[in-house]
Amino acid sequence: MLASLPDYPWDQMVPYATRARSHADGIVDLSIGSPVDVTPELIRRALAEATDAHAYPQTAGTPQLQRAIVDWYERRRGVSGLTEKNVLPTIGSKELVALLPFMLGIGEGDTIVHPRAAYPTYAIGAAIAGADALASDDPAEWPASTRLIWLNSPGNPDGRVLTVDELRAAVRRARELDAVIVSDECYAELGWDGPWATEPIPSILDPRVIEGSRHNVLAIYSLSKQSNLAGYRAAFAAGCSTLLARLLTVRKHAGLMLPAPLQHAMVTALGDDVHVAEQKERYRARRNVLLPALLDAGFRIDNSEAGLYLWATEGVDAWTSIDRLADLGILAGPGPFYGDFFPKHVRFSLTATDERIAAAADRLRAVSVENI
Ligand SMILES: Cc1ncc(COP(=O)(O)O)c(C=O)c1O
């Protein structure tokens, strides 16, 4: 299995990062989406309050955490009727994405579907389980061998949002195939343009999507980005109680439990909407600086109506763009890291300080003037 895993792709960026770092005014790293703003004080205080953790933590989550997740779905995601049986905390969401196929007993001969422009860990999870990965956004293409379907809305890298109709069509197809369907919704609080400027981004657990049954349907969410908690590893799954009970059993046996102080901190994070709104405004301001500068520099922005990234192309090979950007001291993510269909795209993350984003915009504008 280990032999079938690819090399870690970001290692290929080392020479570009070295060149970008040699820029006179320093690197602007817009490659990996790792938060740069501080963890809100109230969450850090909650963590500090809970450092007496002599007993093993509950794999299912404390009753307070289960309640906080249920309440959060109702308040922020328009999803009511969940109970403690419909939620499960995870140690960040990446471990769940990578291990879910294995935990569900998916393996050789089975197909796992993921988006065409995709967070690479969906395919890694298929490789770990020995299953085939298929990149497809069209439910009609999903084959009879499909056992698991990943949706990602808003998408990484492309910021695409799936509407209620699109989510419902995907769930209906999953039911025909008797497959599990999971929507990774970790950027759901970051809507910017089009309908998402005013309407909440729909969850797969929305009653208009599931049409009365959560069977084989899960949503996953992470506090990494909305609450600057990437270093804490705080996430959860919600939905089908039968599936979650199976996962809980595996996780108990494997010792995959969220540390008790983090469970306490998550309750506080989930109960406070103010810091989430503040963080969203930081990202909005950065997006409003970077997006027009990319347009001025000759990039086209595709989708990106929500989420943490700008998905852009200047119509040339992605590595040519990455090379030119490195000369400007800017590091971005090449489209080929997100599948085989976007050889000319690059991904710009909004996770840099205001000062660094302004520096990137100035450098992009300077080249656009030179080009005239
Ligand atoms: C689409 C998507 N899913 C999951 C994750 C994992 O997030 P975490 O493990 O921090 O919860 C990321 C991280 O960037 C992501 O972009």
Side-chain angles (χ1 to χ4, degrees), residues 39-53 229 231-232 259-269:
T39 301
E41 187 55 37
L42 87 164
I43 306 175
R44 294 160 69 176
R45 267 204 310 273
L47 182 73
E49 271 163 26
T51 50
D52 174 18
L229 285 183
Y232 282 44
L262 291 190
Q263 298 201 24
H264 186 71
M266 269 178 89
V267 174
T268 299

Side-chain angles (χ1 to χ4, degrees), residues 33 91-95 97 119 122 152 154-156 184 186-187 220-225 230 233-235 309 347:
I91 312 163
S93 53
K94 187 171 181 174
E95 56 99 343
V97 173
Y119 176 58
Y122 307 125
N152 178 208
N156 171 12
D184 181 350
C186 62
Y187 302 109
I220 65 174
Y221 192 71
S222 168
L223 301 190
S224 291
K225 311 295 165 65
R233 314 308 299 131
Y309 310 101
R347 188 193 80 168

